[in-house]
Structure formats: structure tokens, C-alpha cells
Amino acid sequence: GAGVSQSPSNKVTEKGKDVELRCDPISGHTALYWYRQSLGQGLEFLIYFQGNSAPDKSGLPSDRFSAERTGGSVSTLTIQRTQQEDSAVYLCASSLTERGGLDTQYFGPGTRLTVL
Amino acid sequence: AQKITQTQPGMFVQEKEAVTLDCTYDTSDPSYGLFWYKQPSSGEMIFLIYQGSYDQQNATEGRYSLNFQKARKSANLVISASQLGDSAMYFCAMREKGRKLIWGLGTSLAVNP
């Protein structure tokens, strides 16, 4: 079946502009995660959606970052007034979250964001 | 303080040999899960293996096995019979309560022919 897809694969923008990154999770997966990976670093958690529950936004680095998930499926991560330090690869993952299950997160290919 | 520590920024191994990638973790939660992911140069993050804190046996998945030493809080990945395609970044991650993963900084593995 289809995996997690993300678009665009690459985005170059100018400092101060807003950007939207899209994630399409695996069909049937109830949980969706956004992570950020800066050059040569591990992944940094940003936000997590689980079904209809309020999202866990504890990882969002500033109020310039926001995300929504429409209809329990597709998610959009929005970065307003982009800064150069926002340059990174933004990875989306989804999982099935069965109770007591393994709950493995499956990742998309990422969006490479470059802020000039 | 780092919750996941991967002390080897880079490792080399000869093709067909086994290699161990180190991972230590820090948690006070009795229930947790440990994951290893592979990230090739293409950038995708590929799930390899999982170990639950209550699992009695070490996890194995094909050529991958996890050397879980709970008292030492270590969860080392062992790759047997290395192949050229194993060259990649390898990340150790932990899930405590909640669903988000906490990640180490990764180990770059190069398999030499």
C-alpha cells in the first residue's frame, strides 16, 4: 500500500515569507507526527495528532509554527515569517496506535526547507 | 540532559562482518520502547527493530538484533553479515509515556567492500 507522502519535496523561500508543508499519512493510521531534522542532527519532535484529541504541540519552537489536521487525515505544517534557522528537513510520520501495540511510526520522505 | 546517547558518530565495517552500534538511554518511566531506524542518503527514515521495556528476550529482525541490557540502560543494534547497502545513518529512539519519540544524534555507518 501507499506510504506516507509529503509535498513539496524541496522548498526554497525568502526570509519573512510564509510556507506550508503537507503530509498525507498512511490510510487508516490515526496518529500523525511532525519532526524537524537540522543538518547533521537527530530528529526534533514538533507536534503530534491523535484522532480527535487535542494535539500535543509541546515541541513547536515558536508561535510562528502551527499545524492542523483536517478530517483526521492530511496535515499541514505552516511556518510564518520564516527565518534562516528554520532551514531543515521536515519529516512527517504516521502510526496505527493500537492499544498495547507496537505503534511503529512510518516516515515520509521529508520536505527540505531552505530559507534564504 | 541527553535522554538518548549514541557515542559513535561514525563507524566503519568490512563487508560480511558484524557491527554493533551503541545506544544508551535515560528514563525513570518503567514502561518505554526503544526503536532503531536507518536513514540512507536518500533521506527516508526506515524502521528496523523495536524493543519493549518488558520484553524478556532481545528483539531480532533478520540480520538485525538488539542487545538489550536493561540494568545498564543500553540497547545496542547488532547488524550481522554487513552489506554495502547497510551504509547509512542509524538512529536510536525512545518512546516514554505519550507517543512522541526522543532521538539520539545518530551513527554514520560505512560498509567497506
Side-chain angles (χ1 to χ4, degrees):
Chain A
V4 178
S5 61
Q6 291 186 246
S7 61
S9 55
N10 278 285
K11 176 73 177 177
V12 180
T13 190
E14 293 179 347
K15 178 181 172 182
K17 301 276 190 183
D18 298 351
V19 295
E20 283 190 354
L21 312 179
R22 177 189 166 106
C23 173
D24 216 323
I26 293 172
S27 177
H29 279 194
T30 57
L32 187 149
Y33 313 77
W34 283 98
Y35 294 89
R36 176 168 73 172
Q37 186 177 27
S38 301
L39 189 63
Q41 299 293 310
L43 273 66
E44 174 191 10
F45 167 77
L46 297 177
I47 187 169
Y48 156 60
F49 296 90
Q50 170 60 56
N52 295 321
S53 303
D56 176 355
K57 303 180 182 180
S58 59
L60 294 178
S62 77
D63 59 8
R64 296 187 296 105
F65 288 72
S66 63
E68 61 177 23
R69 189 178 184 193
T70 52
S73 181
V74 171
S75 176
T76 303
L77 176 70
T78 302
I79 309 172
Q80 296 178 310
R81 304 181 302 282
T82 51
Q83 304 294 312
Q84 289 182 331
E85 61 262 29
D86 299 334
S87 295
V89 176
Y90 289 81
L91 289 160
C92 175
S94 70
S95 71
L96 196 51
T97 63
E98 292 176 318
R99 281 200 180 275
L102 170 52
D103 191 25
T104 299
Q105 295 179 25
Y106 295 92
F107 283 79
T111 294
R112 182 175 298 278
L113 175 66
T114 303
V115 182
L116 301 176
Chain B
Q2 281 279 23
K3 287 213 162 192
I4 296 287
T5 302
Q6 294 181 253
T7 57
Q8 307 151 315
M11 289 280 286
F12 293 91
V13 66
Q14 207 63 31
E15 193 178 7
K16 299 180 186 177
E17 292 186 349
V19 63
T20 298
L21 307 183
D22 295 342
C23 173
T24 58
Y25 59 92
D26 181 25
T27 182
S28 56
D29 193 338
S31 178
Y32 54 89
L34 297 157
F35 297 78
W36 277 92
Y37 282 83
K38 171 185 178 181
Q39 188 177 40
S41 56
S42 57
E44 63 199 290
M45 197 67 78
I46 303 167
F47 166 71
L48 295 178
I49 197 167
Y50 167 81
Q51 181 83 43
S53 59
Y54 295 120
D55 293 344
Q56 295 296 313
Q57 295 192 330
N58 287 344
T60 60
E61 287 286 347
R63 294 186 298 111
Y64 304 108
S65 60
L66 203 152
N67 183 2
F68 182 45
Q69 298 189 37
K70 195 169 182 177
R72 293 187 178 184
K73 294 188 176 178
S74 76
N76 298 340
L77 176 70
V78 180
I79 306 174
S80 63
S82 298
Q83 301 172 356
L84 295 178
D86 293 336
S87 295
M89 284 290 292
Y90 288 81
F91 290 95
C92 179
M94 177 174 66
R95 186 182 67 224
E96 299 174 301
K97 41 185 179 294
R99 300 286 179 179
K100 66 187 181 189
L101 294 177
I102 303 165
W103 298 76
L105 295 181
T107 294
S108 176
L109 177 66
V111 180
N112 297 324

